[in-house]
Amino acid sequence: MAREFTSVGVVGLGTMGAGIVEVFARNGIDVVAVEISAPALERGQATLTRSTDRAVAKGKLDPADRDALLDRVTFAVGLDALHAVDLVIEAVPEHLDLKQRIFAELDRVCKPDAILATNTSSLSVTEISVATSRPNQVIGIHFFNPAPVMKLVEVIRTVVTSADVVADVEALCARLGKVDVTINDRAGFIANALLFGYLNHAVALFESNYASREDIDAAMKLGCGLPMGPLALMDLIGVDTAYEILDTMYRRGGRDRRHAPVPLIKQMVTAGLLGRKSGRGFYTYERPGSPVVVPDEATPVAPADAFSEGGRAIAKVGVVGSGTMATGIIEVFARAGYEVVSVTRGAEKSASICEAVKTSLNKGVVRGKLSEEERDGALGRITWSATLDHLADVDLVVEAVVEELSVKKALFASLDEICKPGVVLATTTSSLPVIEMAMATQRPADVVGLHFFNPAPVMQLVEVVRTIRTAPETVATARAVCAALGKTSVVCGDRSGFVVNALLFPYLNDAVKMLEASYSTTDDIDHAMKLGCGYPMGPFELLDVVGLDVALAIQRELYLELREPGFAPAPLLEHLVTAGYLGRKTGRVFRDHTHR
Ligand SMILES: NC(=O)c1ccc[n+]([C@@H]2O[C@H](COP(=O)([O-])OP(=O)(O)OC[C@H]3O[C@@H](n4cnc5c(N)ncnc54)[C@H](O)[C@@H]3O)[C@@H](O)[C@H]2O)c1
């Protein structure tokens, strides 16, 4: 029989603590909520009230249930109030000495059979536990932010945590409606170990002006379907808390440079820019604690103005190539009202791409996405050709041929000869340096990357890649075109992986390394990212969709360009590719290997 918890204590009512109080009280458990001072207690109480009021306003909580919930919570200053509770969860700032002091005190105050839990994200639960005389009753219960919403709880057992305590806490998580994964005590556990390298990398991109905060966040939301971008997430977590987690992970997790906090993070902490809780972090908020972003000096001017600045008029577009991307891109332009010239390497290829575009448009009609007139209009705007010479009078060329540098360079040299002056020449490459193609022409200022995502008619995002030679008006034109296509464009520099792949693939590679180290299972890692971070797919599910060979190729490029040891492809990924486990397309997926 699992142990019955009738009352629990929560220490520290900040970002996490206040949410944890809400989780317990909502589930009928009495809570003693403790802070260090009266003003801090008041702040914590106000957070709880605001959050429950919001739930009532949204119709997610009955007013009577809110009152009952609040009645279950007793507030107090100091740990003495915790003498009678069955379980304590500590959620004070991420400092080992502070947590050890609190655990020593809890050990003294709490009844002998009380379980003492920490919500630490990165510190060693074992080191915290030895500050007490009952390390076998100490455990990690790691909630995710915001605690009332996120389904995942990581339960961390140390080598001495008793099996009964683990089982009781697992049963308690189920009672709270949470999904738990139970794991050993390692820096960052599952989710943070995979999340924080990515967050730090995103801050590094922002710090180096590689892309704006809005563009980095939009890229990850629209390119990967994440619930929020990395910089907005840093603000939600708390920039100070993120700093401490990174710092601890760096020191505990093998001194991986990717966890060494980017200098900007420390500067922001020193300047009091802590994120939502202080009203300002990477973004500015209506007031401290508010989730509402307000414009500040870094907010970009309204896109409509930016697009009119120096942008060239585009009416006729050439699309070179006959593969999946070219097909989608032709459709996107034709549907948006552009004249399109499709150029392939032969009449046969032109016939087949024409068929593919027709099929896709017909599907759109069947699904009610466009009318028959719109379909016919779009088709009427497309000319099918097998000669580059037909691009002599277009205003923009989008190249989507095979991902081979020599082929693309030769194509750009030909376009340079054929196209009229002032044309924007764009490549859809996802891994080659755009500057290489620009330098194959005599007009590098007119060359830009337009990185569409697959399937182009569906995916909202386009990365606009500016090289060190791209003219501002070329970028402005590219952005204006994306807007006219109904897409969201983000501008970034010409580095391997642009924004999305540079941030996504190292994370996927890290997940493979975690599996390889036998820390957890494919299912638990997938669960942790979906339920703890709100990702639409776990890393292994996504690898199966993307293709393990594609992931390996991108990871190799990133590694070769940056020579970052942490980016070296996971040996397991290399071996699976060699063995033909390429994901869904081959019918041999990650789980087939791990579930042998
Ligand atoms: N922020 C997140 O997204 C997140 C997610 C999961 C876990 N965590 C972990 O949760 C813990 C708390 O982080 P946070 O982001 O809520 O921090 P926070 O700074 O928002 O809140 C910490 C609270 O602890 C209080 N406090 C400090 N010393 C105290 C003491 N001696 N006694 C009682 N209360 C005290 C502070 O007044 C403050 O209200 C950390 O270990 C963190 O790593 C954070």
Side-chain angles (χ1 to χ4, degrees):
M1 258 293 275
R3 175 172 171 167
E4 188 60 30
F5 293 92
T6 48
S7 79
V8 305
V10 176
V11 184
L13 307 178
T15 308
M16 288 310 291
I20 296 170
V21 169
E22 185 177 333
V23 170
F24 281 105
R26 251 189 200 218
N27 287 282
I29 298 172
D30 290 335
V31 186
V32 182
V34 165
E35 258 290 353
I36 191 171
S37 65
L41 194 64
E42 244 171 64
R43 263 199 315 274
Q45 209 163 354
T47 309
L48 179 64
T49 311
R50 256 203 319 273
S51 170
T52 48
D53 284 352
R54 252 200 319 267
V56 169
K58 283 187 186 160
K60 295 199 170 151
L61 187 65
D62 214 63
D65 289 342
R66 181 226 5 233
D67 297 343
L69 184 164
L70 294 175
D71 277 349
R72 281 186 208 110
V73 187
T74 323
F75 292 90
V77 172
L79 302 181
D80 286 340
L82 301 170
H83 59 90
V85 300
D86 305 310
L87 164 81
V88 179
I89 299 194
E90 161 281 309
V92 304
E94 190 79 343
H95 298 291
L96 182 60
D97 50 348
L98 172 64
K99 294 200 190 253
Q100 284 183 325
R101 264 204 324 276
I102 286 181
F103 270 73
E105 183 71 7
L106 288 173
D107 191 30
R108 198 183 54 74
V109 167
C110 295
K111 53 187 194 185
D113 65 348
I115 294 174
L116 307 182
T118 172
N119 184 50
T120 183
S121 312
S122 57
L123 295 168
S124 159
V125 179
T126 317
E127 280 184 63
I128 295 171
S129 76
V130 294
T132 73
S133 64
R134 52 177 113 174
N136 56 340
Q137 282 163 240
V138 175
I139 192 164
I141 306 184
H142 184 231
F143 285 88
F144 286 76
N145 189 1
V149 179
M150 302 310 286
K151 277 261 174 242
L152 184 75
V153 174
E154 288 173 326
V155 173
I156 299 101
R157 55 166 176 240
T158 73
V159 284
V160 293
T161 310
S162 95
D164 289 353
V165 169
V166 175
D168 290 343
V169 167
E170 286 173 339
L172 176 64
C173 290
R175 179 174 165 196
L176 298 175
K178 301 289 184 192
V179 175
D180 83 273
V181 295
T182 302
I183 42 188
N184 296 333
D185 186 13
R186 198 176 105 161
F189 317 127
I190 297 176
N192 285 348
L194 296 180
L195 182 69
F196 273 81
Y198 149 72
L199 293 179
N200 205 34
H201 191 184
V203 177
L205 294 184
F206 171 69
E207 189 190 40
S208 64
N209 288 322
Y210 181 68
S212 70
R213 61 185 183 185
E214 284 83 3
D215 280 1
I216 292 172
D217 281 352
M220 297 315 286
K221 275 170 69 175
L222 300 175
C224 305
L226 305 187
M228 63 200 310
L231 302 177
L233 180 54
M234 287 287 290
D235 278 355
L236 175 68
I237 291 168
V239 180
D240 52 343
T241 300
Y243 176 84
E244 295 302 334
I245 293 173
L246 280 166
D247 191 51
T248 313
M249 287 191 46
Y250 175 73
R251 283 185 281 107
R252 280 187 74 206
R255 302 199 175 250
D256 183 340
R257 281 200 316 226
R258 291 178 306 150
H259 291 137
V262 166
L264 177 65
I265 300 177
K266 185 60 183 283
Q267 290 162 29
M268 289 175 70
V269 173
T270 309
L273 307 178
L274 306 184
R276 280 192 196 181
K277 62 183 161 192
S278 70
R280 184 148 187 192
F282 287 93
Y283 295 90
T284 303
Y285 299 86
E286 214 170 28
R287 55 180 163 69
S290 162
V292 180
V293 173
V294 294
D296 58 21
E297 66 283 356
T299 305
V301 287
D305 298 339
F307 294 146
S308 56
E309 266 173 35
R312 299 172 197 156
I314 305 287
K316 195 165 180 183
V317 179
V319 179
V320 187
S322 48
T324 314
M325 289 315 287
T327 310
I329 292 167
I330 291 169
E331 178 180 338
V332 167
F333 276 101
R335 278 176 65 175
Y338 289 93
E339 291 289 314
V340 181
V341 182
S342 151
V343 179
T344 70
R345 277 173 303 156
E348 232 171 78
K349 292 213 182 298
S350 285
S352 85
I353 193 171
C354 173
E355 247 348 274
V357 171
K358 273 188 191 155
T359 308
S360 175
L361 285 169
N362 281 334
K363 259 193 212 147
V365 173
V366 171
R367 291 191 186 140
K369 300 248 163 85
L370 79 167
S371 67
E372 288 185 8
E373 295 74 51
E374 285 166 330
R375 173 198 61 195
D376 297 341
L379 280 172
R381 281 188 284 276
I382 310 171
T383 328
W384 309 97
S385 161
T387 332
L388 285 176
D389 291 337
H390 286 133
L391 299 177
D393 65 341
V394 300
D395 308 306
L396 162 70
V397 179
V398 181
E399 162 281 306
V401 304
V402 66
E403 190 78 342
E404 260 176 50
L405 188 56
S406 57
V407 176
K408 293 203 191 254
K409 277 170 83 166
L411 173 61
F412 271 80
S414 306
L415 292 174
D416 192 23
E417 281 173 14
I418 293 165
C419 295
K420 65 186 184 190
V423 172
V424 170
L425 301 178
T427 169
T428 55
T429 182
S430 25
S431 61
L432 302 169
V434 178
I435 189 68
E436 294 270 6
M437 283 154 258
M439 297 315 288
T441 73
Q442 302 297 316
R443 40 175 125 178
D446 296 330
V447 177
V448 71
L450 271 186
H451 186 223
F452 285 85
F453 288 72
N454 188 17
V458 177
M459 297 296 285
Q460 185 59 38
L461 184 71
V462 181
E463 288 173 316
V464 172
V465 185
R466 58 168 149 64
T467 75
I468 46 172
R469 298 287 300 269
T470 309
E473 58 268 27
T474 306
V475 173
T477 308
R479 288 205 96 165
V481 167
C482 292
L485 296 176
K487 305 282 184 202
T488 301
S489 62
V490 300
V491 178
C492 63
D494 184 21
R495 271 170 45 172
S496 182
F498 310 135
V499 177
V500 173
N501 288 352
L503 290 177
L504 177 67
F505 283 88
Y507 143 73
L508 297 176
N509 193 47
D510 284 346
V512 180
K513 287 184 186 165
M514 182 176 275
L515 187 70
E516 204 167 20
S518 302
Y519 180 58
S520 187
T521 62
T522 41
D523 287 344
D524 277 358
I525 296 173
D526 275 353
H527 267 130
M529 297 318 288
K530 286 198 286 191
L531 302 177
C533 304
Y535 283 22
M537 280 188 212
F540 300 109
E541 290 168 334
L542 185 55
L543 278 164
D544 285 336
V545 171
V546 170
L548 274 64
D549 51 339
V550 174
L552 178 61
I554 293 174
Q555 192 60 30
R556 275 192 184 136
E557 288 290 336
L558 290 171
Y559 177 58
L560 285 177
E561 181 169 282
L562 298 168
R563 305 292 162 136
E564 166 58 58
F567 283 174
L572 175 60
L573 185 60
E574 307 231 22
H575 292 180
L576 287 172
V577 171
T578 308
Y581 288 79
L582 305 187
R584 278 197 203 167
K585 61 188 167 191
T586 54
R588 286 173 149 196
V589 297
F590 229 100
R591 278 175 177 68
D592 294 342
H593 150 73
T594 48
H595 286 185
R596 274 173 314 173

